[in-house]
Amino acid sequence: MANLFFVPQNIITGENAVQMSMQYIRGFGKKALIVTDDAMVSLGNMKKLTDELDAIGTKYAVYSGINSEPTHSMIDAGVGIYQGTGCDFLIGIGGGSPMDSMKAIAAVAANGGSIKEYTGKKLEKPLPPTVTIPTTAGTGSEATKVSIITNTDTNVKMLLSDPRLMAALAVVDPVFTLTAPPGVTVATGVDALTHAIEAYTSRKAFPLSDIFAVSAVTKIFKNIYEVYTNGSNREARSEMATAALEAGIAFSNASVTIVHGMSRPIGALFHIAHGLSNAQLQGVCLKYLKSGAIEQLCGLAKAIGVYRSGMTAEEGADAFVSATTGLLQRLNIKTLQECKVPESDFFQNIPKMAEDALASGSPGNTRRTPSKEEIMALYKELWEEGVKKA
Ligand SMILES: NC(=O)c1ccc[n+]([C@@H]2O[C@H](COP(=O)([O-])OP(=O)(O)OC[C@H]3O[C@@H](n4cnc5c(N)ncnc54)[C@H](O)[C@@H]3O)[C@@H](O)[C@H]2O)c1
Ligand SMILES: [Fe+2]
């Protein structure tokens, strides 16, 4: 079977990537809309970017209103600013939220209407040039053809996927991630780990996506605990930034599966950070997946060095599952209960969450494909796990 592999037109990685990017950005247009959040402004990350834009004489307008995971109203507002300020290209700087918002604003600016109507829509018209600058080592949005926006009318996290959402230029400078606090570092790092595991075990995986997925899993196992406990380790931060990029490339081509499918409804309804809800789900979902993906999980055990000679493939798969659950324990992932999710609301919403998970299409890529009843049972198991840990 043939497979098409998508990546951004250009990717610049390493320290001073922003400076280097200016030789490309100067050709993108006359005025950029910079989409970001207030933290990027107060941390000085925005200034690092605008100093460089000033130096090449490129104008810009700033929209720093993405102060939570993005909603449809934030995108509508951003489109108004883009059009009202005469911008002709866009830069997203921040975590996945500002980068996804920037891509969604570009999509609507070119294709019209409201982002609420974009679920499953093919983007007919090309987007203006887009630049992604991640400051978390997490979503990989810098190099994915995906944007995730919550429709707050329906409480659904819409998964928009279209090749036109791929950035023209991704600029990955790991220095930006040095200021991420431990909670953000872990949640975003586990998001990247989940992308890589899901891409590798997806029914849509193929040899080229596997290379990126395995490389990302290996780097994350080596470095995530270090960046959690010693955030100023530049080398470990750099490895994580590369891993997140690789994991993004892997899943953008091979798709995510059950964890992401089940995680988005939790995020939409209970406002738990995306990476955190992935981390919470990882254990129960890996145990569910195992019988359908023994060979793949055993392959990952070999990659991270927990496979021992003489083990059967199933023992190898078990070794990977327990290495992952052990790692998550050391990262002190908060449970649903610790995130103050009310029990009655959670149980009442299980049928809706299961339906929304399936409707996103992601669970269908899982090698052991779940039914609605099985997803509902997994949500219950997730709750029970939190009770046991209390
Ligand atoms: N497009 C994709 O391919 C893709 C993939 C996975 C997830 N997502 C989406 O991305 C969003 C989550 O993105 P995220 O996990 O990067 O979080 P985020 O962008 O929401 O940021 C989380 C918090 O970290 C802060 N932060 C970011 N960088 C920082 C830094 N360097 N120093 C200090 N603080 C920093 C932000 O200000 C914010 O308060 C979700 O909506 C999720 O669904 C998109
Ligand atoms: Fe994700």
Side-chain angles (χ1 to χ4, degrees), residues 346-385:
F346 186 78
F347 275 82
Q348 208 176 353
N349 276 295
I350 284 179
K352 172 179 164 54
M353 290 196 290
E355 278 156 28
D356 291 348
L358 282 171
S360 75
S362 303
N365 302 322
T366 315
R367 280 180 193 272
R368 182 177 169 199
T369 309
S371 63
K372 183 180 166 190
E373 287 65 36
E374 284 175 314
I375 293 188
M376 292 191 358
L378 287 170
Y379 277 126
K380 287 180 193 146
E381 199 178 324
L382 175 65
W383 183 269
E384 296 310 327
E385 258 209 353

Side-chain angles (χ1 to χ4, degrees), residues 94-327:
S97 298
M99 289 190 288
D100 277 9
S101 302
M102 181 280 290
K103 295 188 214 175
I105 292 167
V108 178
N111 289 274
S114 159
I115 195 71
K116 284 196 282 185
E117 301 143 15
Y118 275 56
T119 309
K121 177 170 165 158
K122 189 173 171 340
L123 300 179
E124 298 293 344
K125 296 193 187 139
L127 276 50
T130 53
V131 181
T132 44
I133 310 179
T135 63
T136 56
T139 68
S141 178
E142 64 272 17
T144 73
K145 56 182 165 71
V146 173
S147 169
I148 298 168
I149 310 295
T150 300
N151 178 338
T152 49
D153 293 346
T154 54
N155 277 334
V156 170
K157 258 187 150 184
M158 301 183 291
L159 169 69
L160 314 175
S161 176
D162 189 291
R164 292 199 193 279
L165 290 171
M166 185 66 85
L169 175 64
V171 183
V172 186
D173 185 338
V175 169
F176 283 125
T177 64
L178 284 167
T179 51
V184 171
T185 300
V186 163
T188 53
V190 176
D191 185 26
L193 177 63
T194 310
H195 294 157
I197 297 173
E198 299 213 283
Y200 193 71
T201 58
S202 164
R203 285 184 192 281
K204 293 185 180 160
F206 56 102
L208 210 45
S209 64
D210 285 350
I211 291 171
F212 285 83
V214 169
S215 177
V217 171
T218 312
K219 285 190 181 74
I220 295 168
F221 263 88
K222 277 197 190 129
N223 293 288
I224 193 168
Y225 188 74
E226 176 63 17
V227 288
Y228 171 49
T229 51
N230 179 17
S232 58
N233 182 333
R234 290 172 98 92
E235 208 181 310
R237 288 286 196 186
S238 176
E239 288 286 287
M240 285 299 293
T242 306
L245 170 69
E246 291 170 337
I249 291 172
F251 97 77
S252 182
N253 284 284
S255 295
V256 281
T257 62
I258 187 168
V259 175
H260 272 76
M262 290 181 63
S263 167
R264 285 183 220 106
I266 295 182
L269 283 163
F270 301 108
H271 310 290
I272 293 182
H274 171 74
L276 181 54
S277 55
N278 281 344
Q280 292 166 339
L281 280 158
Q282 190 66 255
V284 288
C285 288
L286 268 181
K287 279 181 217 141
Y288 171 81
L289 165 70
K290 198 196 87 178
S291 63
I294 290 200
E295 196 193 309
Q296 290 74 15
L297 294 172
C298 180
L300 292 178
K302 287 177 182 164
I304 64 164
V306 294
Y307 176 87
R308 300 276 165 259
S309 77
M311 276 184 174
T312 61
E314 182 160 10
E315 285 163 351
D318 283 332
F320 181 73
V321 173
S322 54
T324 308
T325 46
L327 175 67

